[in-house]
Amino acid sequence: MLDQLDASPEDFVHVSSHTRYDLMPMHDMGFRNLVLLDRGCDPVTHGYDYITVKSLDELNTMLGI
């Protein structure tokens, strides 16, 4: 995907609601703009440097949308 888009991981913001199956693998692939949509299901996972939001509205505000 990155080659086809002529992009790098820092060009993306990855938003997920699960740490284990979404956020952690993306981090391991080099993505660093990570956002966890906290729905109260996943535990806090230290060492992955993600931002936690409670709603997509909160994320939109952070992004200036």
Side-chain angles (χ1 to χ4, degrees):
M1 174 189 81
L2 295 175
D3 289 340
Q4 288 179 352
L5 295 172
D6 191 30
S8 60
E10 57 269 4
D11 296 325
F12 296 88
V13 174
H14 179 78
V15 181
S16 64
S17 60
H18 298 285
T19 53
R20 176 80 172 114
Y21 301 107
D22 272 336
L23 192 135
M24 294 166 121
M26 293 303 286
H27 180 274
D28 293 345
M29 290 190 299
F31 290 78
R32 294 298 181 263
N33 300 318
L34 304 172
V35 178
L36 176 67
L37 178 58
D38 185 4
R39 296 188 175 176
C41 299
D42 283 17
V44 173
T45 308
H46 298 287
Y48 287 91
D49 300 322
Y50 57 85
I51 296 169
T52 302
V53 297
K54 295 288 184 183
S55 70
L56 291 176
D57 286 335
E58 182 181 348
L59 176 61
N60 289 341
T61 299
M62 288 175 55
L63 296 173
I65 298 173

